[in-house]
Amino acid sequence: YHYQANVAERATSAWTRTKHKLTMGGGHHHVTPGSEPRKDQDLQAIKDAKIPIAWRDTCSHILVGLNKCRRETWWNPNKCEHDRHIYEECEYNAYLQRVEAKVQVDKIKAAESD
């Protein structure tokens, strides 16, 4: 009986961990309009805005406007809060997309190896 209780307990805790991983924080995340990562970027606008190459990713279309706001307000941390939030949320959404892509690749590799 003790062995069965341990197995049930481990299965329940594994399900809880899996559920938490899948929802990334209990499912409270929602996408704010304008914070979606985009693969089709206006490369000339990014180049004109002098975005460093290391920062040119799927969210650099938001960074152009954020950096413009920062320069206009002399990098005042109380200004541009909404733009910064949108940019950070875009980066988070891009991270979630990469994680999901990795999971899909791992599933394909596992299916091929069987």
Side-chain angles (χ1 to χ4, degrees), residues 6 21 29 33 35 38 46-48 52 57 65 68 99 108:
N6 264 347
K21 284 182 185 177
H29 181 70
S35 68
R38 291 190 346 209
I46 293 168
K47 186 177 178 182
D48 293 342
D57 60 3
K68 181 181 178 189
V99 168
I108 291 169

Side-chain angles (χ1 to χ4, degrees), residues 6 11 20 23 62 64 67 100 104:
N6 264 347
H20 181 69
T23 57
I62 300 170
V64 171
N67 282 349
E100 182 59 31
Q104 295 301 323

Side-chain angles (χ1 to χ4, degrees), residues 4 16 19 33 43 46 55 62 66 90 109:
Q4 288 177 338
T16 304
K19 179 181 173 191
L43 298 179
I46 293 168
W55 293 95
I62 300 170
L66 175 59
C90 181
K109 285 183 180 179

Side-chain angles (χ1 to χ4, degrees), residues 42-57 60-61 63-68 70-71 75:
D42 183 2
L43 298 179
Q44 189 59 43
I46 293 168
K47 186 177 178 182
D48 293 342
K50 299 178 182 176
I51 304 293
I53 292 175
W55 293 95
R56 296 182 189 182
D57 60 3
S60 55
H61 62 287
L63 190 57
V64 171
L66 175 59
N67 282 349
K68 181 181 178 189
R70 286 172 169 168
R71 283 189 298 272
W75 293 80

Side-chain angles (χ1 to χ4, degrees), residues 42-106:
D42 183 2
L43 298 179
Q44 189 59 43
I46 293 168
K47 186 177 178 182
D48 293 342
K50 299 178 182 176
I51 304 293
I53 292 175
W55 293 95
R56 296 182 189 182
D57 60 3
T58 56
C59 297
S60 55
H61 62 287
I62 300 170
L63 190 57
V64 171
L66 175 59
N67 282 349
K68 181 181 178 189
C69 178
R70 286 172 169 168
R71 283 189 298 272
E72 290 173 353
T73 61
W74 294 87
W75 293 80
N76 185 338
N78 297 326
K79 308 290 182 181
C80 313
E81 286 179 342
H82 179 71
D83 293 337
R84 192 186 80 223
H85 173 73
I86 294 294
Y87 176 71
E88 290 173 350
E89 185 173 347
C90 181
E91 288 291 335
Y92 177 70
N93 291 333
Y95 166 76
L96 291 179
Q97 287 179 354
R98 290 191 306 271
V99 168
E100 182 59 31
K102 173 78 167 97
V103 168
Q104 295 301 323
V105 167
D106 289 348

